[in-house]
Amino acid sequence: MNNMIWLMRATKWARRPPSGKMVKLVFAIIAAGLAMLLLEKMGMWPEWATMDQGRGTRIPR
């Protein structure tokens, strides 16, 4: 059933492809995310923008 949904979505995109603006927007968002990841891996990400605790960790009582 899920494959049929993806097939319908692909058909819709083939008939009405996204505009050039939308494609540029998606690539800009992906580039911004990769830039943030690169800054974090290089150790240049600011400390104030880092979470104290990761998601799913409990606060000790």
Side-chain angles (χ1 to χ4, degrees):
M1 180 66 181
N2 202 10
N3 291 336
M4 185 59 78
I5 292 171
W6 284 104
L7 184 61
M8 296 296 289
R9 185 174 292 180
T11 305
K12 179 181 171 186
W13 275 34
R15 290 181 184 157
R16 295 189 59 178
S19 66
K21 266 180 137 175
M22 183 62 73
V23 172
K24 288 178 185 176
L25 176 67
V26 169
F27 280 131
I29 291 171
I30 292 171
L34 289 173
M36 288 190 300
L37 179 67
L38 181 65
L39 285 173
E40 184 179 1
K41 293 296 180 184
M42 291 174 49
M44 298 174 66
W45 189 252
E47 189 66 33
W48 59 266
T50 305
M51 292 176 51
D52 291 335
Q53 294 180 350
R55 221 177 147 174
T57 58
R58 291 186 170 194
I59 300 172
R61 294 184 180 188

